[in-house]
Amino acid sequence: MFAIIHARRMANSQNRKLITFTDLSIVINNVVGGKIDFFARKNISFPIFTCPLFLNIIASLYGLLLISTEHPSKKLILWNPTTTRYLFLLHENSDSIYLNSADTAGMYLDVSNDLKILHIKRRNDVVVSRVYSRTWRTIDFLKGTLFGSRIYTWSVGTLSNNKLYFTVFHYWLCDNSYIIAFDVNYEVFNQATLPQQTGINVRQGRLFTVKYKLHIFVVEMSRPVTVNLFKFEDEV
């Protein structure tokens, strides 16, 4: 509990850091007044032997990073770059390894302040959702949907007001794109359509939070390409 409270206080601090993965190195920069201090940069190493080129940052929460590795083997790792502590979340020989081309995930704290990870994997057009909290367990996903198909592309989870939100875009049919919400306390999924306007051909969307309100950038495939900003009020 002490660690969680301390982490939340630090999250409101103006002393922020930016971690950057290049092909060969991992760099931490201080962010001062909204600007990167390139003179105070620091190179760090990943705790296991792998080239940063094969690392992918999936999610972050209070300084912890959820990392997937592509080489030499596919792993899912929870990493604290400040303390260098890390934890393997999946066995390398499991069929539940994280595939960047098919899977997505998000991090959150539940009502009891327990850090958890939601892993959504797609195998053979079937969606399997699992929650990690010291061990893995499977939870129910939406019934009767086709979101396991590779014709859909998923975003990573965006945490806002006790829910993890994902955009799910259909590869060809723009009207068949959705937002999936996962209630972190009740562990249930819901779906909603993307914000629609007449004549908009939506191809991309990016969720983010501003002052505890969920927002989304929606990209139109038009000439010239335009971007709309929507703010959600009571999930509408």
Side-chain angles (χ1 to χ4, degrees), residues 15-212:
N15 182 22
R16 300 183 179 277
K17 297 183 182 296
L18 173 69
I19 186 167
T20 303
F21 286 36
T22 69
D23 288 352
L24 300 175
S25 63
I26 303 175
V27 179
I28 293 182
N29 291 293
N30 293 328
V31 181
V32 181
K35 296 183 179 180
I36 300 175
D37 182 6
F38 290 103
F39 297 100
R41 64 188 307 167
K42 177 183 177 182
N43 284 67
I44 63 173
S45 300
F46 197 65
I48 66 173
F49 180 74
T50 184
C51 179
L53 176 65
F54 302 111
L55 299 176
N56 180 43
I57 300 176
I58 304 169
S60 64
L61 185 66
Y62 297 133
L64 296 175
L65 299 179
L66 184 62
I67 305 289
S68 67
T69 65
E70 300 180 26
H71 185 79
S73 59
K74 294 179 172 62
K75 298 178 184 291
L76 198 58
I77 301 173
L78 187 63
W79 179 41
N80 186 333
T82 301
T83 66
T84 71
R85 297 287 297 275
Y86 67 97
L87 179 68
F88 290 108
L89 301 183
L90 295 176
H91 192 276
E92 62 180 338
N93 295 324
S94 169
D95 63 353
S96 300
I97 57 177
Y98 191 92
L99 300 180
N100 290 322
S101 61
D103 296 5
T104 187
M107 301 171 63
Y108 62 92
L109 293 173
D110 66 7
V111 68
S112 61
N113 280 322
D114 186 19
L115 175 68
K116 293 183 177 180
I117 295 170
L118 174 68
H119 174 207
I120 297 176
K121 66 174 186 176
R122 293 182 293 168
R123 302 290 186 275
N124 301 319
D125 291 340
V126 175
V127 176
V128 177
S129 54
R130 310 202 314 156
V131 169
Y132 178 86
S133 175
R134 299 172 183 84
T135 59
W136 287 100
R137 57 186 172 84
T138 302
I139 59 175
D140 292 333
F141 187 69
L142 296 169
K143 305 296 184 183
T145 63
L146 300 175
F147 296 138
S149 171
R150 295 299 182 92
I151 61 175
Y152 287 99
T153 58
W154 284 67
S155 71
V156 296
T158 298
L159 184 63
S160 179
N161 292 327
N162 297 320
K163 290 187 177 180
L164 275 174
Y165 292 91
F166 303 84
T167 57
V168 183
F169 280 90
H170 195 285
Y171 189 77
W172 295 295
L173 304 176
C174 303
D175 292 340
N176 285 12
S177 299
Y178 302 90
I179 292 175
I180 304 297
F182 173 72
D183 190 304
V184 302
N185 293 325
Y186 295 98
E187 296 189 344
V188 294
F189 289 91
N190 291 285
Q191 74 179 67
T193 57
L194 283 169
Q196 297 292 330
Q197 287 184 338
T198 303
I200 289 184
N201 184 11
V202 177
R203 293 306 302 173
Q204 295 185 58
R206 176 68 179 182
L207 294 164
F208 61 100
T209 301
V210 178
K211 296 181 179 179
Y212 304 104

